[in-house]
Amino acid sequence: DQKIYINGIKLVLPPKHLLTLYNKLYPNYDKFLENLIKNRQNFNIIDIGANIGDTLYRILSKNNNHYYCIEADDYFFKYLKVNANNILKKQNNISIKIINELVGEELEGFLENHNGTTAKLNKEKNTGREKIFSKRLDQIVLENNIKKVDLIKVDTDGFDLNILNSGLETIKKDKPFLFFEYVNTNPSQYNQYVNFISNLKYIGYNNFKIFDNYGNVILENSSFEDDNIEKIKKILASKNIVDIFCSRNL
């Protein structure tokens, strides 16, 4: 296992995990949410695709926030559990709940470890592991009695939009900050994301920011006007992977 320290707390990583390399090569990697959360009070934060807990480590604050970390893969979930316990030993006033679930709309398949850093869902090929079935985000929110969701972060290698759609009732009701990954694998994926982003303004979202996959800003905060939607379309058409942040007026 690898061990690194983030905000003074030991994070344990699998032997082949690439986070150590990312930290050295990309100084802006995973920094945006850290800066967004540090001055927020009493937030309920849902981290989907929590992996080993590295995002959790970065966004930790002493502001009575509540963290719900969801990871479907048993291998990474074990590390998430260890790392959550490491945090609680240092900061026993922090509220962390870890949840071993596949989130989404009618997803099913077999998880397989990919390069020691992420897990991928194989819908057809049996990887020798138990087949798993998804649970809607709205259902998870209800089961965990989360009265108001303030931030939803999703990073699941191509399933982000499916997951967000499974939590639409929560998104409409609470208008949480949204931070998710866009992965352009085919034209239909592009169209679905464009439609989703366009529809967010009707839900009440009016600001967005786009980053490359290493945390560098591509498009600054801007209002959901038609010309800005066109800017987003151009970026999504030209990039394979970007991160998108959406909010109401900050």
Side-chain angles (χ1 to χ4, degrees):
D1 285 344
Q2 305 174 68
K3 297 177 181 66
I4 62 174
Y5 284 81
I6 297 178
N7 293 326
I9 305 174
K10 182 173 67 175
L11 177 73
V12 182
L13 303 85
K16 296 181 181 179
H17 204 287
L18 295 177
L19 179 65
T20 306
L21 178 63
Y22 293 163
N23 282 348
K24 291 179 180 178
L25 295 180
Y26 312 114
N28 293 324
Y29 182 74
D30 224 4
K31 293 289 187 183
F32 175 74
L33 289 182
E34 179 180 357
N35 293 325
L36 176 72
I37 295 302
K38 64 183 178 182
N39 295 319
R40 308 283 173 178
Q41 293 279 352
N42 297 307
F43 259 36
N44 289 314
I45 299 166
I46 299 179
D47 179 4
I48 304 170
N51 198 259
I52 59 172
D54 49 299
T55 297
L56 169 66
Y57 269 59
R58 293 193 187 282
I59 64 176
L60 276 176
S61 74
K62 298 179 180 178
N63 294 341
N64 299 315
N65 294 326
H66 305 275
Y67 304 90
Y68 300 86
C69 302
I70 307 175
E71 174 56 46
D73 184 79
D74 290 340
Y75 178 74
F76 293 114
F77 188 79
K78 286 188 228 178
Y79 284 88
L80 176 61
K81 187 175 182 179
V82 168
N83 289 323
N85 286 334
N86 285 341
I87 292 170
L88 294 174
K89 289 175 185 175
K90 291 277 189 178
Q91 302 180 26
N92 58 14
N93 61 327
I94 297 289
S95 171
I96 302 172
K97 182 165 187 179
I98 58 174
I99 301 168
N100 189 200
E101 292 279 5
L102 177 67
V103 187
E105 290 273 14
E106 299 181 349
L107 295 175
E108 61 181 74
F110 305 90
L111 285 170
E112 56 184 341
N113 196 291
H114 182 67
N115 292 334
T117 303
T118 61
K120 292 187 176 295
L121 183 68
N122 196 316
K123 295 181 180 180
E124 298 177 1
K125 179 183 175 183
N126 189 328
T127 60
R129 301 170 71 176
E130 184 178 350
K131 189 173 187 178
I132 60 173
F133 301 85
S134 65
K135 184 179 289 185
R136 299 177 70 252
L137 177 56
D138 286 332
Q139 184 179 349
I140 291 173
V141 169
L142 287 173
E143 288 178 354
N144 288 277
N145 198 29
I146 308 174
K147 300 300 183 184
K148 183 179 184 298
V149 177
D150 298 288
L151 167 68
I152 299 173
K153 168 258 172 182
V154 189
D155 184 358
T156 55
D157 295 327
F159 292 97
D160 295 41
L161 187 57
N162 180 290
I163 290 167
L164 291 169
N165 281 324
S166 80
L168 275 181
E169 292 304 314
T170 298
I171 292 171
K172 290 176 182 177
K173 178 176 74 72
D174 295 339
K175 311 293 191 302
F177 292 131
L178 300 177
F179 189 88
F180 57 96
E181 187 178 59
Y182 161 79
V183 179
N184 186 3
T185 56
N186 56 64
S188 66
Q189 192 104 359
Y190 164 81
N191 292 329
Q192 289 167 12
Y193 269 91
V194 167
N195 289 337
F196 178 76
I197 292 169
S198 299
N199 288 335
L200 282 176
K201 67 179 179 179
Y202 299 109
I203 298 175
Y205 287 82
N206 44 29
N207 285 285
F208 59 85
K209 199 167 187 173
I210 298 180
F211 308 82
D212 67 18
N213 202 37
Y214 310 109
N216 302 305
V217 177
I218 298 175
L219 189 65
E220 287 284 357
N221 273 359
S222 201
S223 60
F224 269 118
E225 303 298 338
D226 289 341
D227 59 334
N228 289 325
I229 292 294
E230 291 305 313
K231 290 178 184 177
I232 292 176
K233 288 181 180 179
K234 288 180 181 178
I235 290 172
L236 298 190
S238 64
K239 302 288 185 180
N240 290 326
I241 301 176
V242 296
D243 289 323
I244 301 172
F245 172 75
C246 299
S247 73
R248 295 174 291 174
N249 281 324
L250 294 171

